[in-house]
Amino acid sequence: MQFEVWAPEAESAVLRTADGPRPMVRDPLREGWWTADAEAADGDRYGFALDDGPVLPDPRSRRQPDGPDGESAVVDQTAYAWRNAWAGRGLPGAVLYELHIGTFTDAGTFDAAAGRLGHLAELGITHVSLMPVCPFPGTHGWGYEGVSLWAVHEPYGGPAGLKHFVDTAHGLGLAVVLDVVHNHLGPSGNHLPAFGPYFTDTHQTPWGSAVNLDAAGSDEVRAYLLGSALAWLRDYRLDGLRLDAVHALADSRALTFLEELSTAVDALAAELGRPLPLIAESDLCDPRTTTPREEGGLGLHAQWNDDFHHCLHTALTGESRGYYADFAVAPLAALAKTLTGGFFHDGTYSGFRGRTHGRPVDVARTPAHRFVGYAQTHDQIGNRALGDRLAAGLSPGLQACAAALVLTGPFTPMLFMGEEWGARTPWQFFTDHTDPALARAVREGRRREFAAHGWAEEDIPDPQDPRTRDRSRLDWSEPAREPHARLQAWYRELIALRRAMPDLSDPDLASVRTAYDEEARWLAFRRGDLRIAVNLSGEPVVLALGGGRHRTGGGRVLAAWDPVGAPAGDGLLHLPPESCVVLADD
């Protein structure tokens, strides 16, 4: 087979295999590329040495059996025998479920997670959203410090394990979306700078020098990232990608990397005959992220909506520190604004940022499914000091209200693993850095960060302590006990209702109507012939809902957390404390 590597500044390059060194030659057709032919089979180890330097792993390695610093291994992508044919599944009508392989089960492997996928299919989930699975130092971590962007973390099960997981999911009717990180690489095990200008000092990011998307050599860097993205979708039959922190991609070129990526992925989708959505994480509140390219946008297919989360979180918890301050002044008004307009910050002043922020959404032209709505994510839990979930501080009734707002709202809903039963296990920040100095810096830095907000340093979990990861694993005995069983049944009921009632998947954001009382702490909204009402207060409330669009009074209860009578002819709904209901017009 032919081995190749891009190393434009090298004077010499050597391929090293089990058979010994083999000099590489410059590719006459591709500047900066070196090639060599050698016999190789699946699993054979190899690496590259530049200018008589140490043997380094292949930047395009498909497998790192011994971690990011070890030799690469050849992967025969045709060796896996796929069992399930799959036509794909698009985002409209989807229900996403964010999952971390390392803590979804005690074993923390693809195979163990695959054994639990039946639970998600029964729940009514359509798309599993995997957190990053690229190799990173050590065994356990969030995955956002990955360094080999074409390979699969070996402790999870490597390439074969990921294929088995995806194949199993497809057999159950579940699509699989993978979280990929293009805005930075991990601080440890990153050998790319030895090969070429993968990074640039033209821009600085919170992680140091930026990935080189616009300086000299950036054509090949873009090709590296694009090739990685397409390989995940083609070789592993993944159904889409979640793009981490696209706002952190420093890119001044006229044709942005994200436009190139969406163009290439759309072309692959057409070739394969199945949808391949790209879902962006962005804090820009910019509808151009998901506006089609032909209309001047980037052409991504959806974006996470943190504004909706922040409104909902402040309404449920009353928290107002940090970025929550912008939403906590009048959280129900803010929530109503996002339900009808997409973003809260749409050109409004952000006190947290000290400037105006965002851009209005054209609700008449923007399908609601382009926004992903959620009450919890790995970020919004794990980046808290103690990694506490909503279940740690909210009653089951308030958790049920959060579920109703997410699962009957206009956006594409997403759950974080264990949310459906109100998991009491935290999800904390954990690492397994093999570099002692880096491990110490991460530990001390996190404690200093939260000490500045009033936390005692000794109360902040040590990311390097294995018990921090152990505490973060789901407890699969919880769903069989109360109050978890009741909450899980509620999630299942709401998801089934969303699937059965076309009004709940209507993409028309402009048709959503809201009413609320900030002081009484209730909010109601209409979607077609359906009305959803939540009471976040500790007292019963009476809501004057009126009637249908062409009449007054009446209605029937489709789902309710606590027993609720349908509104009488006067249109008054009596809603118990910390409760919610879904109504249909007669």
Side-chain angles (χ1 to χ4, degrees):
M1 64 177 288
Q2 185 178 73
F3 292 84
E4 58 182 19
V5 66
W6 181 62
E9 298 173 1
E11 295 297 327
S12 66
V14 173
L15 166 68
R16 289 192 176 271
T17 68
D19 295 330
R22 186 180 297 265
M24 305 183 77
V25 298
R26 295 183 187 273
D27 188 326
L29 301 179
R30 296 182 298 166
E31 185 177 354
W33 282 86
W34 300 79
T35 65
D37 292 321
E39 294 293 327
D42 185 65
D44 286 354
R45 308 294 182 90
Y46 72 98
F48 301 119
L50 305 178
D51 298 332
D52 299 322
V55 177
L56 300 175
D58 182 359
R60 285 170 168 76
S61 168
R62 300 302 184 91
R63 187 180 172 203
Q64 291 295 122
D66 302 312
D69 293 315
E71 290 186 329
S72 301
V74 173
V75 174
D76 179 1
Q77 297 291 3
T78 67
Y80 182 84
W82 293 90
R83 295 171 293 129
N84 296 293
W86 180 246
R89 199 163 192 170
L91 275 183
V95 179
L96 278 63
Y97 188 95
E98 191 183 23
L99 184 158
H100 177 261
I101 289 294
T103 50
F104 189 58
T105 64
D106 286 345
T109 64
F110 290 122
D111 284 353
R116 292 288 186 181
L117 288 177
H119 162 79
L120 303 186
E122 181 185 357
L123 185 64
I125 298 300
T126 64
H127 290 65
V128 179
S129 184
L130 286 182
M131 290 175 61
V133 300
C134 289
F136 53 85
T139 300
H140 301 298
W142 280 20
Y144 292 93
E145 62 274 25
V147 293
S148 298
L149 299 190
W150 294 54
V152 183
H153 193 50
E154 197 72 14
Y156 287 169
L162 176 57
K163 290 179 179 179
H164 174 250
F165 178 90
V166 174
D167 202 8
T168 303
H170 288 171
L172 293 167
L174 297 167
V176 183
V177 174
L178 177 65
D179 194 339
V180 294
V181 184
H182 293 151
N183 55 75
H184 72 284
L185 280 81
S188 178
N190 178 15
H191 299 285
L192 289 182
F195 288 91
Y198 283 90
F199 300 88
T200 174
D201 291 331
T202 304
H203 311 284
Q204 290 295 312
T205 76
W207 307 280
S209 297
V211 174
N212 180 15
L213 298 177
D214 57 6
S218 59
D219 286 355
E220 290 291 354
V221 178
R222 287 180 176 227
Y224 172 78
L225 298 176
L226 288 169
S228 167
L230 297 178
W232 291 118
L233 299 169
R234 187 191 297 276
D235 296 339
Y236 294 92
R237 299 194 181 182
L238 288 160
D239 298 286
L241 301 174
R242 184 261 189 186
L243 310 176
D244 182 64
V246 299
H247 54 268
L249 294 172
D251 184 1
S252 63
R253 287 171 61 165
L255 177 62
T256 66
F257 167 71
L258 290 176
E259 291 174 84
E260 274 197 270
L261 177 61
S262 66
T263 300
V265 169
D266 283 349
L268 180 61
E271 175 190 333
L272 299 178
R274 55 187 177 91
L276 299 173
L278 295 174
I279 304 171
E281 180 199 18
S282 173
D283 75 350
L284 300 178
C285 292
D286 188 352
R288 291 175 294 190
T289 302
T290 57
T291 297
R293 293 184 302 278
E294 57 270 22
E295 298 176 20
L298 301 180
L300 307 183
H301 305 98
Q303 59 182 309
W304 279 25
N305 190 349
D306 271 354
D307 276 17
F308 173 75
H309 168 272
H310 298 344
C311 298
L312 179 54
H313 187 89
T314 55
L316 291 167
T317 67
E319 290 187 28
S320 60
R321 290 195 294 185
Y323 50 69
Y324 289 132
D326 287 345
F327 306 87
V329 176
L332 292 179
L335 188 56
K337 180 178 180 180
T338 62
L339 287 170
T340 56
F343 296 135
F344 174 76
H345 284 305
D346 54 4
T348 57
Y349 184 79
S350 168
F352 173 71
R353 296 175 176 87
R355 58 171 174 80
T356 56
H357 187 68
R359 184 183 183 98
V361 174
D362 184 347
V363 296
R365 301 177 62 188
T366 306
H369 65 253
R370 288 187 184 165
F371 301 98
V372 178
Y374 37 83
Q376 302 180 78
T377 70
H378 78 274
D379 270 330
Q380 302 303 337
I381 300 170
N383 285 326
R384 297 171 66 82
L386 302 180
D388 48 313
R389 298 168 177 260
L390 287 178
L394 297 184
S395 68
L398 287 179
Q399 294 174 67
C401 289
L405 289 164
V406 169
L407 290 168
T408 67
F411 310 129
T412 297
M414 184 177 73
L415 314 180
F416 181 68
M417 61 179 197
E419 173 187 339
E420 70 273 22
W421 71 71
R424 298 289 177 85
T425 49
W427 204 76
Q428 298 176 334
F429 180 68
F430 52 90
T431 57
D432 190 21
H433 290 302
T434 53
D435 179 345
L438 179 58
R440 183 172 59 255
V442 169
R443 178 188 304 115
E444 294 175 355
R446 189 163 178 86
R447 288 178 171 171
R448 282 196 304 271
E449 174 188 356
F450 286 103
H453 296 286
W455 292 87
E457 290 194 14
E458 61 271 18
D459 292 338
I460 305 304
D462 178 0
Q464 285 286 121
D465 187 337
R467 292 174 296 181
T468 304
R469 179 261 176 180
D470 292 344
R471 282 191 297 268
S472 300
R473 293 178 298 180
L474 286 178
D475 178 358
W476 283 92
S477 71
E478 285 185 333
R481 306 192 301 267
E482 295 297 350
H484 307 288
R486 181 187 176 196
L487 191 62
Q488 181 169 274
W490 176 243
Y491 271 83
R492 186 180 296 114
E493 182 178 8
L494 289 175
I495 294 172
L497 195 62
R498 186 178 185 90
R499 184 170 57 246
M501 306 299 291
D503 283 340
L504 293 181
S505 55
D506 183 355
D508 185 6
L509 193 57
S511 69
V512 180
R513 297 290 181 267
T514 62
Y516 60 91
D517 187 318
E518 201 76 60
E519 185 175 351
R521 287 180 49 75
W522 64 260
L523 179 142
F525 61 98
R526 172 182 286 284
R527 302 197 63 201
D529 291 326
L530 303 183
R531 289 172 294 175
I532 299 90
V534 299
N535 176 14
L536 305 182
S537 77
E539 302 293 332
V541 295
V542 179
L543 286 67
L545 292 181
R549 284 177 285 186
H550 306 296
R551 56 184 299 280
T552 59
R556 58 191 172 91
V557 175
L558 296 180
W561 175 249
D562 288 318
V564 175
D570 57 7
L572 296 180
L573 173 69
H574 296 260
L575 196 55
E578 298 183 349
S579 192
C580 45
V581 63
V582 182
L583 301 163
D585 290 341
D586 285 335

